[in-house]
Every structure is written in C-alpha cells, then in structure tokens.
C-alpha cells in the first residue's frame, strides 16, 4: 500500500462531502428553523464546510512533495531542476484550467436554455474569470492563483521556517477573510469589494500548511499517526463549538466576531483527522490484504479520488437537472426532495465520472498494448 494513501482517501472523502453540502443547501435555506430537524441539518452542513480548505491543503501537499522529491534527488533548493516548471504549468492547464472552462460553458448553456439569462459571450468570459456562475466554481479560481505563484511557494518552502510561515499565513488568511473589503477601501479606494472568497490570501494558511506537510511528509505522517486520537477528540470539541455558533447565527441572529477563527480551528482538526483515518485504512488493508473486500475498498477510494475533479465540476449541474425534474413533477415536500436529490446526484455523479475515467483508462491501455505489439 502506498504510504501516501491517506492523501487519496482524504481526497475521495472530501469529494463525497462536497456533494452533500450542495444537496442539503435547499434544506438550510428553506426548512423551518424552529424544528429539531433543522438543527440536525444545519449541524451536518456546518461540519461539512471544511472540504474546500481540505482540497487546497491537499493541493499544497502535492506541490510540497514535488519539492521534496527534487531535493531528495540532489537538486539544490534554488535550482531550476527541482521542478520542471514548463511541465508543471502545462499539466495545470490541461488537467485543471481547460476542464474548468469546458464545464463553465456547459453550465452556461444549461442556464441559458433554462431561460436564466440572455446569451452573451462577454458575460460567459466574465463567469469564467470570476467563477460565480455556479456556487462551487470559486474554488478553481482560487486554486489557479496558487498554481500561478508556484515559484514563490518553492522559495518559501526552501528558505522560510514553518514556525514563521504558518502563523504569518494564518494571520493573513484571517485578515483577508474578515477585513479584505475594508482594507481595499481604506488603502486603495476600492469600494464594495465582494470577492474575498475568490482571492488566494483568504485561503493562504491551507496552502502553506499543505506545502510544509508535503515538504516534510515522512515526519508529518509519523506524527499524524501518533496524534490520531488527539485530533479525533479535538475535532469533536471544536466541531461542537463551531456548530453551536453557527446555530446561534442562523436561528438566533447573533453574530460572533470570533466565529471565523473557531471554524478555522475546527477545519484544521477535521482535515488532520481525515488524513489520519486514511492512514488507518491503509494500515488495515496491509494487515488484511488476503481478504478481498479490503483491496476492493481501496480500489474504490482510488477511483473516486482520481475522478474527483470531474465529480466536483459536474455534480452541481446534475443536482440542478434533478431539481428541475422535481419541479416539473410537482414534488414540493422538502424532505422528499432532499432524499431524491441526494440519491440521484450521488449515483449519477459517481457513475458518470467513474465510468468516464475507466473508459479513458481502457482506451489508454489498449493503445499502449497496440504500440507494444506493433512497435
């Protein structure tokens, strides 16, 4: 079992959780807030909202692992041979940017055909750059900013100690999340800035933490295994506090100035726990590799993780189509709509994307076989 399987397991889990966030959103906005069921739904939703931070951290880990591999191979920290930047940016373009653009176009055509707006190429370009055509696209806009600054992160990871970089990144993230519009107004004269959630500084702590985790992966993996019970308890306690604050905001209308730091603390604990659980799955699979169900579970996790970006990009469109079908058939009861939407969105998103990935893999294997036979 690959010792980095915890990254794969966490990525697959985050992918499944992000679908849940969007499926349950109509319940959060439309249910009776005085009922116990609403409290349960709100708690489940709030405790799921760490996954975008988790995706960013995992992306940072993968870049940190590249730096670590380059240094382990003998490249000096400032050497261009540490990372082949041309290959790196080309892979980000083909694997991240182009699929994103294609899916924005598909979503735009869907919403246009549904009569949400008149067709306009300029508005389509705006949606591509801003990432606000659908609720989940902002993540791609953010992660591309981090990718674009990759040489800066190499310099940071090779010259700045984690004891300095992590607290500085946490402070920048908190200031950006809570005060960026005010700072832009005060220092730059930019009024009513509404895109703090699309600026990379808001998520800097997650990227920088991932960067250092990847750079020092072996030490991190060992300490994570030793701390797994600590993170389990910390996630439970921080999650309870975070959920209580959220409930008071949504139901009681009470605003807490420290809600953002509390949610950041919970998110850190939840992400670390997800990585630790991935390591435990890997350990169980190694111990019982003679039993077929464990290798099968690992193969499923691997498949979901590999297809995860496609699932992320496509699932909201599937949810939108399911919602349109529910409206067409006149199904109004919120609990019934939630169950149907959840089942349909999970089944269709996973089936379509896993099938597409398997088809691509099959075609690639056949091509390689033909080349080996005729080459």
């Amino acid at each position: 079992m690959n010792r980095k399987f915890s990254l794969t397991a966490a990525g697959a889990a985050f992918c499944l959780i992000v679908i849940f966030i969007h499926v349950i959103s109509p319940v959060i906005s439309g249910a009776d807030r005085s009922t116990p069921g609403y409290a349960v739904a709100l708690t489940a939703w709030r405790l799921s909202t760490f996954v975008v931070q988790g995706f960013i951290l995992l992306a940072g880990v993968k870049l940190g692992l590249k730096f670590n591999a380059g240094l382990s191979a003998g490249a000096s920290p400032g050497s261009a041979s540490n990372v082949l930047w041309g290959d790196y940016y080309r892979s980000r373009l083909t694997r991240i940017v182009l699929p994103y653009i294609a899916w924005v176009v598909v979503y735009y055509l869907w919403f246009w055909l549904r009569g949400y707006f008149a067709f306009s190429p300029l508005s389509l370009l705006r949606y591509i750059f801003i990432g606000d055509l659908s609720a989940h696209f902002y993540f791609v806009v953010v992660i591309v900013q981090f990718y674009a600054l990759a040489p800066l992160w190499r310099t940071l990871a090779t010259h700045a100690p984690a004891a300095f970089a992590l607290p500085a990144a946490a402070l920048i993230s908190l200031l950006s999340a809570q005060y960026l519009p005010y700072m832009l107004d005060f220092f730059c004269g930019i009024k009513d800035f509404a895109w703090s959630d699309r600026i990379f500084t808001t998520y800097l702590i997650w990227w920088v933490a991932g960067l250092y985790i990847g750079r020092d992966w072996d030490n991190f993996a060992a300490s994570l295994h030793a701390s797994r019970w600590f993170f389990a308890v910390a996630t439970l306690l921080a999650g309870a506090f975070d959920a209580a604050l959220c409930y008071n905001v949504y139901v009681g209308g009470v605003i807490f100035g420290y809600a953002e730091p509390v949610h950041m603390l919970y998110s850190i604990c939840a992400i670390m726990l997800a990585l630790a659980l991935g390591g435990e799955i890997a350990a169980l699979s190694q111990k019982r590799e003679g039993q077929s169900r464990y290798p099968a579970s690992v193969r499923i996790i691997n498949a979901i993780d590999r297809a995860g970006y496609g699932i992320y990009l496509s699932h909201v469109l599937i949810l939108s189509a399911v919602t349109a079908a529910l409206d067409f058939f006149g199904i109004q009861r919120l609990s019934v709509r939630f169950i149907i939407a959840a089942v349909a969105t999970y089944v269709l998103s996973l089936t379509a994307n896993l099938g597409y990935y398997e088809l691509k893999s099959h075609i690639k294997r056949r091509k390689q076989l033909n080349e080996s036979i005729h080459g």
Side-chain angles (χ1 to χ4, degrees):
M1 178 68 61
N2 191 313
R3 59 194 174 91
K4 300 183 182 69
F5 179 76
S6 56
L7 302 177
T8 299
F14 296 164
C15 180
L16 297 177
I17 294 171
V18 80
I19 297 175
F20 172 78
I21 292 172
H22 293 118
V23 167
I24 203 171
S25 290
V27 177
I28 304 303
S29 60
D32 182 355
R33 300 191 177 192
S34 65
T35 63
Y38 184 81
V40 173
L42 184 66
T43 298
W45 172 80
R46 182 61 173 178
L47 297 184
S48 301
T49 56
F50 68 93
V51 291
V52 166
Q53 297 93 318
F55 282 133
I56 292 171
L57 183 138
L58 291 182
V61 172
K62 292 171 185 176
L63 184 60
L65 287 168
K66 288 181 181 292
F67 297 156
N68 188 14
L71 294 174
S72 298
S76 63
S79 169
S81 62
N82 191 347
V83 175
L84 298 175
W85 292 119
D87 292 343
Y88 177 76
Y89 283 118
R90 192 177 302 110
S91 71
R92 299 305 86 189
L93 176 65
T94 57
R95 296 181 183 180
I96 304 298
V97 177
L98 293 182
Y100 163 72
I101 293 173
W103 276 107
V104 172
V105 171
V106 171
Y107 276 74
Y108 188 86
L109 293 174
W110 164 254
F111 291 132
W112 171 60
L113 291 172
R114 295 277 298 159
Y116 284 87
F117 42 65
F119 187 87
S120 169
L122 289 179
S123 68
L124 175 57
L125 286 174
R126 178 199 170 279
Y127 283 129
I128 290 172
F129 283 103
I130 301 297
D132 60 344
L133 179 60
S134 183
H136 63 312
F137 282 152
Y138 78 96
F139 162 72
V140 184
V141 173
V142 170
I143 204 67
V144 167
Q145 295 172 57
F146 283 115
Y147 290 146
L149 297 172
L152 172 63
W153 310 128
R154 181 181 64 180
T155 301
L156 181 71
T158 52
H159 296 292
F164 165 78
L166 292 174
L171 178 61
I172 292 171
S173 295
L174 286 171
L175 291 174
S176 183
Q178 295 184 284
Y179 305 112
L180 182 59
Y182 306 104
M183 290 189 290
L184 290 175
D185 185 7
F186 183 80
F187 292 108
C188 307
I190 298 175
K191 303 289 185 181
D192 302 321
F193 185 78
W195 311 113
S196 297
D197 61 342
R198 287 163 174 79
I199 303 300
F200 76 95
T201 51
T202 302
Y203 309 91
L204 188 62
I205 179 58
W206 310 107
W207 179 267
V208 172
L211 195 67
Y212 282 89
I213 288 171
R215 189 196 68 174
D216 302 313
W217 174 258
D218 290 335
N219 292 331
F220 169 79
S223 64
L224 183 66
H225 177 74
S227 306
R228 62 194 185 281
W229 288 109
F230 167 81
F231 282 116
V233 174
T235 300
L236 181 63
L237 296 177
F241 192 19
D242 190 33
L245 293 179
C246 182
Y247 181 82
N248 279 279
V249 170
Y250 275 75
V251 178
V254 182
I255 305 299
F256 300 93
Y258 51 86
E260 186 66 28
V262 170
H263 187 60
M264 179 181 288
L265 175 62
Y266 164 71
S267 298
I268 291 171
C269 296
I271 293 168
M272 294 301 105
L273 180 60
L275 290 170
L277 290 175
E280 292 304 304
I281 292 173
L284 283 173
S285 299
Q286 286 178 328
K287 289 179 181 178
R288 306 189 184 187
E289 59 185 14
Q291 297 182 13
S292 60
R293 72 170 191 159
Y294 284 96
S297 65
V298 168
R299 287 196 298 272
I300 292 171
I301 291 171
N302 277 320
I304 294 174
D305 181 58
R306 286 194 297 264
Y309 188 52
I311 295 171
Y312 183 88
L313 291 175
S314 64
H315 77 275
V316 175
L317 182 64
I318 294 172
L319 177 59
S320 178
V322 172
T323 301
L326 292 171
D327 292 339
F328 178 80
F329 288 107
I331 299 174
Q332 298 299 324
R333 188 172 179 178
L334 198 56
S335 59
V336 176
R337 289 174 67 93
F338 167 71
I339 293 171
I340 294 174
V343 173
T345 304
Y346 272 106
V347 170
L348 293 175
S349 297
L350 293 174
T351 301
N353 284 280
L354 293 177
Y356 173 72
Y357 179 82
E358 286 301 319
L359 179 62
K360 280 182 61 178
S361 300
H362 176 73
I363 293 172
K364 184 178 180 180
R365 287 193 299 268
R366 289 295 300 269
K367 182 179 179 181
Q368 291 173 342
L369 179 61
N370 290 334
E371 288 177 350
S372 64
I373 292 173
H374 301 291

